[in-house]
Amino acid sequence: MNDYEVKIDNSAKEIHQFLLDQYVKKTLEIEMSTHKSRQTRMNNKVQRYFNSTPLRNAFARWMTYAVYANRWYTITELVDDMHSNRQSISTTINECEAENWIIVVRTKNSVKCRASAELVSKYVDYAMWRKEITKSVIGTAYNALYSFEDLMQTNLALKKKSVSN
């Protein structure tokens, strides 16, 4: 074997497991970076509030999603969707409304809410940070795994086709 030849003795299963392990490792790095960010990104009142508890953090996502999905959430829907309780959701709604981070519409029988422009803007800032960190940390591992799995599906399909002919 010369300098340019590479001995390949890894099975497809071993390669796939290696790529899966790399993807899992990079996913963990993203989650760890996100946690660190939530602890250190306290530059303004919005970040301090929504990074202070998991429920508040999730609430910001539900409220921003409502804007992007062109809908409103009721307290009951939030309790059910977020697996929380009425008291916690009501308190969060009242606190966020007082800061103008959400828009609340009250009728005789319901309370509906969604993010204000300020909260949407802050979430977009976060999403752009998340995009960059995802690209830099997990992008290569994801692309390698996806390409390998796609290639293996193609090869298996070609083998089956040629055997049946």
Side-chain angles (χ1 to χ4, degrees):
M1 180 167 20
N2 63 40
D3 291 339
Y4 298 106
E5 292 180 40
V6 176
K7 183 179 178 195
I8 300 174
D9 58 2
N10 293 324
S11 71
K13 187 175 182 178
E14 290 171 322
I15 294 168
H16 189 235
Q17 188 59 57
F18 172 80
L19 293 172
L20 282 171
D21 290 347
Q22 291 302 302
Y23 176 75
V24 168
K25 180 182 171 197
K26 294 299 182 182
T27 301
L28 289 165
E29 288 175 18
I30 288 287
E31 295 301 324
M32 291 160 47
S33 292
T34 301
H35 173 75
K36 287 178 190 177
S37 175
R38 287 186 183 139
Q39 301 310 306
T40 60
R41 291 182 66 203
M42 303 287 190
N43 302 335
N44 57 63
K45 197 171 186 177
V46 175
Q47 288 175 335
R48 284 189 294 277
Y49 181 84
F50 289 108
N51 287 335
S52 66
T53 71
L55 179 66
R56 289 174 176 176
N57 195 272
F59 184 80
R61 277 125 182 87
W62 259 262
M63 291 297 94
T64 305
Y65 178 82
V67 172
Y68 278 89
N70 194 29
R71 61 163 299 175
W72 296 79
Y73 278 99
T74 65
I75 292 175
T76 301
E77 288 173 318
L78 291 167
V79 167
D80 292 345
D81 264 8
M82 297 178 72
H83 302 280
S84 188
N85 61 67
R86 197 164 196 82
Q87 178 64 44
S88 295
I89 296 298
S90 295
T91 299
T92 304
I93 288 171
N94 291 335
E95 291 170 352
C96 291
E97 182 183 26
E99 296 294 338
N100 295 314
W101 295 329
I102 63 171
I103 300 164
V104 179
V105 175
R106 288 180 172 80
T107 62
K108 188 167 39 171
N109 299 323
S110 73
V111 174
K112 296 178 183 179
C113 52
R114 67 192 298 180
S116 67
E118 181 183 9
L119 181 55
V120 170
S121 175
K122 296 295 185 189
Y123 186 81
V124 168
D125 290 346
Y126 167 78
M128 295 305 103
W129 170 83
R130 183 71 184 232
K131 174 183 166 274
E132 289 307 311
I133 196 168
T134 300
K135 180 177 151 188
S136 65
V137 172
I138 205 171
T140 303
Y142 172 80
N143 288 335
L145 178 60
Y146 180 84
S147 295
F148 181 79
E149 289 175 343
D150 191 47
L151 176 65
M152 293 310 295
Q153 289 300 315
T154 302
N155 283 345
L156 294 174
L158 290 174
K159 282 183 182 179
K160 288 178 184 175
K161 188 175 182 180
S162 65
V163 169
S164 64
N165 287 340

